[in-house]
C-alpha cells in the first residue's frame, strides 16, 4: 500500500520513499488528527506519530476526518513522551509561532525543507514536531529540536489550526521535491500552431478587413495591424484555434478562406 | 479595522493593501467557508465573495469556524453568478485539480502568485476562484478565468478540503510578499560571540584536557583539537553560551578559568 506507484513518483529522490515523520504532541481533538493525516497523505507523508493524545488511540473522529487517509497509511505510532517519539530521528524541527528564550536556528517552512530534504534523501529519519491545540509545544519539547519552524503569517491574526499547520509544512515538503513548471500553456490534443498558420490567418484577416474599409487610412493601417497581431499572437493559438478563428471570419463575412477549402 | 498596522506591514508593496479576492462558488458547508475566512486573514487577505452559498448568508457555523476572522474582515459579498462576482476583476485564476478540455495557462500556486502579485500591486482587482465541495468548479466557471491553478499533490490522494485549498493559495500569496530569511540563528538578548571569545574558550579547554591526559599522543592532538573546534564552532555560540561553557568546565575540573575571575 505504501509502495503505491503514484506516491513513489513523488518521493523518488529519497531512498525507499523516505520522508519526515509528523509528530503531534498532546493533540486534543480527533478531528485535527484526522485533518493532519489527510494533509499528510495529500503531500506524500505517511509516518504519523502521536505523543499522549488526549482521547486515546484509535479515534473514530480522526478516522472520519481523514477522508480515508488513515486507512491508507501505515499504523499511527503512539508514545508516552516526545523524546521516545523522536528516538530514531537525527534531525528534528519544532513548529512554533512564538519566539522562545532559546538560541535556535529559525526556519520558514520553505527554509526548513532546504534543511530536511537533503538529510532525508541521505536516508536519515527526520521529524517535524507540532504542539497541541491549546498551548502549542512546551519549551521542553522545543529544546529537544535542532531548530524551529515559524510560518510568517499576518501578525495580527497568526493562530493556525493544527490540521492547517500540518498542511502547510507537508505542502512545502512535497513542493520541495516537485518539478512542475510554475506556469505552462496546456493545450490538450491540439499543439500550439507554428508561425506560418498564424501568419496565414493574419493576412486573411487583414485582407478581409481592408476590403470592408476597417482601416481608416493607409497611414494608420500598419500600427492597427501591429496591434491586432499583438493581441492574437499573445494567445499562442493552437492549430485548432486557428481553424476556429478562420471559421469565425468566414461566418462573419459570408466568404470562405481563399487559401483553404472547408472553412 | 482593515487598516490595522500589523496587517498593512504585509501588504505594503500593494497600494492601499490590495490583495486578491477569494471567490467561493456554490460552497456547501458553513464550516468550510469559516475555515477559508480564517486561512485568508492568517495570510492578510480580506475580500471574501460567495456565489450562491447553499445555506445562505450569514451562516452561524461559518462564523464559529472562522475563529473571529469574519468579524475582523469587511462584510462578505454574496452574488448570484460567478460572472457577477468577478465583474470588477481584470485577472482571475481558477483553482481546479482536474485537467479540462480547454486551452489554458496552468500555474502552480507559487507560479500563480508570480502572475497575480505584480498585477495586484499595480492596483488591479484580481481574484482566485474555488469550486464547491462536491464537484469543484463547473467548466463554465473555469472558462471565465484567465488561467488555472493546480496544486501538484500526491496523485494517489489529491483531494483537498475547501478550507485547506484556500489556505494553500492564501499562504503562497503572503509568502510571495514576505521577506523573512529562510533560515537564521535567533539568539535573543545575547549576540553571537566574536571569534576571540571562542578562541579563549578553546585554548582553555585544550589546556585543561591536556593537563588531564585527554590527548592520547602528541601526534593525535592536532586532529583531535580540530574536531573539537569544528563541533564547538558549528554552534555559533552566543557570548552568554561561551560563559556557560566556561562555567561547565570550571564545575567539571574544580578549577576556575585562569584568564577570568568569577567562573
Amino acid at each position: 500500500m505504501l509502495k503505491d506507484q503514484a506516491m513513489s513518483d513523488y518521493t523518488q529522490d529519497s531512498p525507499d520513499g523516505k520522508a519526515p515523520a509528523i509528530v503531534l504532541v498532546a493533540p486534543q481533538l480527533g478531528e485535527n488528527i484526522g485533518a493532519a493525516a489527510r494533509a499528510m497523505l495529500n503531500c506524500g507523508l505517511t509516518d504519523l506519530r502521536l505523543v499522549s493524545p488526549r482521547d486515546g488511540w484509535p479515534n473514530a473522529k480522526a478516522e472520519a476526518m481523514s477522508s480515508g487517509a488513515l486507512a491508507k497509511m501505515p499504523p499511527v505510532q503512539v508514545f508516552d513522551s516526545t523524546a521516545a517519539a523522536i528516538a530514531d530521528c537525527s534531525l528534528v524541527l519544532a513548529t512554533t509561532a512564538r519566539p522562545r528564550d532559546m538560541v535556535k536556528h529559525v526556519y520558514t517552512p520553505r527554509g526548513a525543507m532546504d534543511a530536511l530534504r537533503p538529510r532525508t534523501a541521505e536516508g536519515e529519519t527526520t521529524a517535524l514536531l507540532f504542539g497541541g491545540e491549546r498551548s502549542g509545544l512546551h519549551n521542553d519539547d522545543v529544546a529537544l529540536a535542532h531548530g524551529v519552524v515559524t510560518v510568517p503569517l499576518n501578525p495580527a491574526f497568526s493562530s493556525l489550526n493544527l490540521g492547517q499547520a500540518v498542511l502547510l509544512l507537508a505542502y512545502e515538503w512535497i513542493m520541495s521535491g516537485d518539478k512542475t513548471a510554475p506556469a505552462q500553456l496546456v493545450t490538450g490534443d491540439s499543439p500550439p500552431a507554428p508561425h506560418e498558420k498564424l501568419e496565414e490567418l493574419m493576412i486573411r484577416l487583414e485582407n478581409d478587413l481592408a476590403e470592408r474599409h476597417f482601416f481608416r487610412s493607409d497611414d494608420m493601417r500598419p500600427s492597427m495591424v501591429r496591434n491586432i497581431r499583438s493581441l492574437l499572437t499573445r494567445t499562442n493559438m493552437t492549430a485548432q484555434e486557428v481553424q476556429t478563428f478562420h471559421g469565425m471570419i468566414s461566418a462573419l463575412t459570408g466568404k470562405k478562406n481563399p487559401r483553404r477549402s472547408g472553412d
Side-chain angles (χ1 to χ4, degrees), chain A residues 194-251:
Chain A
H195 178 70
E196 63 181 347
K197 295 289 179 196
L198 193 67
E199 190 67 28
E200 185 187 308
L201 174 65
M202 272 305 307
I203 288 167
R204 183 219 175 162
L205 179 60
E206 185 179 344
N207 289 340
D208 281 351
L209 290 170
E211 268 179 31
R212 283 156 189 79
H213 314 292
F214 172 78
F215 302 110
R216 291 173 217 158
S217 72
D218 285 352
D219 277 1
M220 293 178 72
R221 179 165 169 170
S223 75
M224 292 175 81
V225 167
R226 275 195 299 274
N227 290 345
I228 297 166
R229 272 189 184 270
S230 289
L231 167 63
L232 295 184
T233 309
R234 201 161 77 224
T235 63
N236 208 336
M237 282 189 209
T238 64
Q240 177 58 52
E241 287 171 331
V242 170
Q243 285 306 103
T244 300
F245 215 99
H246 273 296
M248 292 196 294
I249 298 171
S250 299

Side-chain angles (χ1 to χ4, degrees), chain A residues 147-184:
Chain A
V148 156
V149 189
T150 298
V151 189
L153 297 172
N154 172 5
F157 194 81
S158 65
S159 168
L160 271 180
N161 166 278
L162 176 58
Q164 289 179 314
V166 171
L167 174 65
L168 289 186
L169 274 292
Y171 166 75
E172 285 286 10
W173 167 260
I174 197 170
M175 287 305 294
S176 70
D178 184 72
K179 313 253 187 314
T180 307
Q184 61 182 136

Side-chain angles (χ1 to χ4, degrees), chain A residues 29-244:
Chain A
L29 298 172
E31 289 87 339
N32 286 334
I33 300 171
R38 178 178 180 175
M40 285 175 63
L41 194 57
N42 279 153
C43 300
L45 301 178
T46 59
D47 184 352
L48 176 57
R49 307 178 184 194
L50 305 178
V51 178
S52 309
R54 185 189 68 185
D55 299 337
W57 194 257
N59 181 313
K61 285 179 181 165
E63 270 153 43
M65 197 70 175
S66 83
S67 294
L70 283 167
K72 292 184 175 134
M73 291 159 59
V76 171
Q77 298 178 77
V78 182
F79 300 88
D80 287 335
S81 71
T82 304
I86 61 170
D88 60 335
C89 300
S90 49
L91 181 59
V92 177
L93 300 182
T95 60
T96 168
R98 300 180 218 163
R100 309 275 179 151
D101 190 20
M102 285 183 240
V103 181
K104 285 278 185 196
H105 281 103
V106 176
Y107 300 91
T108 62
R110 206 161 294 167
M113 301 311 145
D114 292 341
L116 282 171
R117 185 165 279 277
R119 301 277 297 269
T120 311
E122 289 290 325
E124 292 185 50
T125 301
T126 60
L128 286 160
L129 296 185
F130 295 81
E133 291 87 340
R134 189 160 315 183
S135 49
L137 286 171
H138 191 281
N139 277 355
D140 290 340
D141 293 323
V142 177
L144 296 178
H146 299 94
V148 156
V149 189
T150 298
V151 189
L153 297 172
N154 172 5
F157 194 81
S158 65
S159 168
L160 271 180
N161 166 278
L162 176 58
Q164 289 179 314
V166 171
L167 174 65
L168 289 186
L169 274 292
Y171 166 75
E172 285 286 10
W173 167 260
I174 197 170
M175 287 305 294
S176 70
D178 184 72
K179 313 253 187 314
T180 307
Q184 61 182 136
L185 184 64
V186 174
T187 61
D189 294 336
S190 182
H195 178 70
E196 63 181 347
K197 295 289 179 196
L198 193 67
E199 190 67 28
E200 185 187 308
L201 174 65
M202 272 305 307
I203 288 167
R204 183 219 175 162
L205 179 60
E206 185 179 344
N207 289 340
D208 281 351
L209 290 170
E211 268 179 31
R212 283 156 189 79
H213 314 292
F214 172 78
F215 302 110
R216 291 173 217 158
S217 72
D218 285 352
D219 277 1
M220 293 178 72
R221 179 165 169 170
S223 75
M224 292 175 81
V225 167
R226 275 195 299 274
N227 290 345
I228 297 166
R229 272 189 184 270
S230 289
L231 167 63
L232 295 184
T233 309
R234 201 161 77 224
T235 63
N236 208 336
M237 282 189 209
T238 64
Q240 177 58 52
E241 287 171 331
V242 170
Q243 285 306 103
T244 300

